[in-house]
Amino acid sequence: SSIFASKTLIFFFGIGATAAVQGKFGQAYWNQWDLLNAILDRFWGPAARAGCFFASFGFTLSILGVNIGCNAIPFGE
């Protein structure tokens, strides 16, 4: 039940963020890498580059965490 609620909340956050970006940039970006490229194309500067770096670093950590949690922990028990 909590997984359903959290996934539904994330789903609506994604739709809201995509709608906001579409209103600002004029194009809907569903892929986060395309969105980061669009941000760098429009706002090239130290703050935008640092923000894109930290966002990419967070994506990388989440992917590594999921892969480690799904692959290493079950076989170690």
Side-chain angles (χ1 to χ4, degrees):
S1 147
S2 65
I3 292 176
F4 175 74
S6 65
K7 287 192 179 275
T8 303
L9 185 66
I10 297 295
F11 173 74
F12 283 115
F13 281 154
I15 289 176
T18 301
V21 168
Q22 185 178 9
K24 177 96 171 147
F25 292 167
Q27 183 176 357
Y29 294 102
W30 289 99
N31 184 348
Q32 66 261 21
W33 308 117
D34 292 338
L35 175 61
L36 293 177
N37 279 331
I39 290 170
L40 288 177
D41 286 342
R42 286 170 176 80
F43 306 108
W44 183 259
R49 289 182 300 184
C52 288
F53 169 78
F54 288 120
S56 298
F57 188 70
F59 294 148
T60 303
L61 284 180
S62 69
I63 290 168
L64 287 173
V66 166
N67 284 329
I68 290 170
C70 290
N71 294 321
I73 294 173
F75 296 110
E77 292 180 2

